[in-house]
Amino acid sequence: MTTVDARRAAPPLPPAVRRSPAGPVLALLWAGAAGVVALWWADTGSVVGTAGVLTGAGRIAGLLCGYACAVLVALMARVPLLENRVGSDRVARWHAMAGRYTVCLLVAHITLILSGYAAQDGASLWHETVTVVLDYPDMLKATAGTLILFAVGITSARAVRRRTRHEFWYYVHLLTYAAVFLAFFHQLTLGDEFNGEPVATAVWYALYLGAAAVVLWFRVLAPIRLNRRHRLRVESVHREAPGVYSVVVRGRHLDALGARPGQFFRWRFLGEGMRWTSTPYSLSAPARPDLLRITVKALGDHSAAVPLLRPGTRVWAEGPYGSLTADRISSHRTLLIAAGVGITPLRALFETLPGEVTLLYRARNAEDLALGGELEAIARWRGAQVRYALNGPQGQRPPLTAESLRSAFPGLSGHDVYVCGPHGFAQEVYGALRAAGVPDRRIHHESFEL
């Protein structure tokens, strides 16, 4: 590891840590689910016989599925409180989990309710299914919504995601809104919990209209306002390393965005072949009042087209998002560990984090060290350290184990550690840090993988 070391005395202490609202938000969501079960309980008398048990279980599953649909939509809204305080990657995991719950509850609802009706009528399951779909009010719309939700669930499965283009997955995923809309009405028409119950009906409308409102505001109106106000355009494109390019974006009053080092935007470049894809890229330098900069590695169709951008190309951005910021630190000593293009948010943090900061940059060779000159200059300016973990002459990778990290960074367990890089690298480093005694609360990582 090569080191640049020009320490300064008495570094300023970090600000107080801001507590994540993740716990209260999850408690609120589970309290809502408990309220849904209570709604069924209050409306249900005695449950008698096989048909009653199946139908009752189907009603519970249906109510919980309806509630999960509203939660699913709200988690897609990119609410700043969640994206910036809980973390975009954590909210994405919540959304994925809510999606799995929704599909499972939907399957349970369909299976149980149809089986209960069939047992009650003494009919075959197929006959009961045809009767319910064709004769019950709003069931044709609900059936269409169900099929869409199944399609979204199938394309979201990891094995399918790996074999499909991101754009295909993204636009199929957007059909969730249509599915929820189509399935909404049969809940009120056929749900015993809402028939003659104006309060329950009003609460259900409020739940869905509230979810629709946050989506409309944060995913439609707020981005329109941002882009009309700031008028973003490509200023220039610069090569930083093989396959790695920086894009400088110019706009008006960009300090009003409140973008912080470590955060990212979702970028849509309105150039040839790129306007239909929105991709998250982190800021690779602190925001200026008139300029933003991102640094991109060619890993897919969208990122590979970035070097072809021309000055003046219009840019549509949404954000800023992400919680990989200075709010997470609780110590005056910080270690940043980056691999590959994961250096981008950490480069911005390296310049701005308070206290004693060390950066460890993992790459195959010196040529792959993007932004290396800037990192050296920042290290000299602020009296920080830069260390490089490069492959050996025969391509052997330097070990990033608990022992090597403890040896290289004395007092490691007292550091806050930020990690950014490919998923496998982040998992490996996380395991090594935990084995080295770094508490989980001091390991900070954010992933764009959904």
Side-chain angles (χ1 to χ4, degrees), residues 324 328 415-419 426 429-435 437-446:
L324 197 71
R328 293 192 177 189
H415 287 64
D416 279 285
V417 185
Y418 289 71
V419 181
V429 171
Y430 175 82
L433 290 169
R434 293 293 289 123
V438 182
D440 183 72
R441 68 180 184 278
R442 288 191 171 183
I443 303 175
H444 315 303
H445 171 252
E446 194 165 44

Side-chain angles (χ1 to χ4, degrees), residues 294-365:
I294 59 175
T295 302
V296 179
K297 184 175 179 63
L299 298 173
D301 292 344
H302 188 273
S303 54
V306 164
L308 304 179
L309 288 171
R310 294 292 175 260
T313 301
R314 292 182 59 193
V315 181
W316 184 273
E318 298 176 41
Y321 302 123
S323 64
L324 197 71
T325 65
D327 287 341
R328 293 192 177 189
I329 60 176
S330 58
S331 168
H332 71 280
R333 291 183 297 174
T334 305
L335 172 62
L336 311 176
I337 304 179
V341 79
I343 190 61
T344 54
L346 300 194
R347 180 262 179 250
L349 287 169
F350 187 49
E351 180 177 340
T352 57
L353 280 178
E356 180 183 320
V357 183
T358 302
L359 171 65
L360 174 61
Y361 189 178
R362 166 80 181 96
R364 288 179 299 179
N365 50 58

Side-chain angles (χ1 to χ4, degrees), residues 88-338:
S88 297
D89 58 339
R90 193 170 186 181
V91 174
R93 290 195 296 271
W94 288 358
H95 173 72
M97 184 179 296
R100 290 190 287 271
Y101 284 157
T102 301
V103 172
C104 291
L105 287 167
L106 181 59
V107 171
H109 170 62
I110 294 170
T111 304
L112 291 168
I113 207 78
L114 290 176
S115 299
Y117 287 173
Q120 180 178 302
D121 296 340
S124 69
L125 189 59
W126 172 252
H127 179 270
E128 198 65 37
T129 301
V130 173
T131 300
V132 168
V133 171
L134 297 181
D135 296 343
Y136 283 39
D138 294 316
M139 275 307 302
L140 282 175
K141 288 186 290 186
T143 301
T146 297
L147 294 175
I148 293 173
L149 278 178
F150 282 146
V152 172
I154 291 170
T155 56
S156 297
R158 183 167 298 181
V160 179
R161 280 287 311 276
R162 290 172 178 168
R163 292 171 171 79
T164 57
R165 292 168 58 89
H166 173 78
E167 293 81 2
F168 174 79
W169 170 86
Y170 175 76
Y171 288 111
V172 170
H173 216 63
L174 288 180
L175 293 175
T176 301
Y177 298 126
V180 172
F181 174 78
L182 290 169
F184 173 74
F185 297 100
H186 92 286
Q187 300 174 54
L188 300 179
T189 304
L190 300 176
D192 292 340
E193 295 78 12
F194 305 109
N195 291 330
E197 298 290 343
V199 174
T201 301
V203 169
W204 212 247
Y205 266 111
L207 176 66
Y208 273 76
L209 290 176
V214 295
V215 169
L216 177 64
W217 179 258
F218 292 113
R219 294 208 63 169
V220 180
L221 299 180
I224 290 174
R225 177 177 178 271
L226 182 156
N227 288 280
R228 285 179 59 86
R229 180 182 184 187
H230 298 291
R231 304 288 183 177
L232 302 174
R233 291 184 181 272
V234 173
E235 172 80 3
S236 58
V237 180
H238 308 278
R239 183 181 183 275
E240 303 286 2
V244 179
Y245 292 82
S246 285
V247 181
V248 178
V249 175
R250 180 174 293 278
R252 304 183 305 182
H253 313 298
L254 298 183
D255 49 341
L257 288 170
R260 306 179 62 194
Q263 292 189 307
F264 68 94
F265 287 77
R266 297 179 185 273
W267 302 90
R268 190 187 304 272
F269 298 103
L270 305 184
E272 187 67 29
M274 301 182 71
R275 64 179 62 245
W276 300 112
T277 302
S278 174
T279 304
Y281 297 126
S282 297
L283 297 177
S284 60
R288 288 171 40 181
D290 59 341
L291 296 175
L292 301 173
R293 189 186 75 175
I294 59 175
T295 302
V296 179
K297 184 175 179 63
L299 298 173
D301 292 344
H302 188 273
S303 54
V306 164
L308 304 179
L309 288 171
R310 294 292 175 260
T313 301
R314 292 182 59 193
V315 181
W316 184 273
E318 298 176 41
Y321 302 123
S323 64
L324 197 71
T325 65
D327 287 341
R328 293 192 177 189
I329 60 176
S330 58
S331 168
H332 71 280
R333 291 183 297 174
T334 305
L335 172 62
L336 311 176
I337 304 179

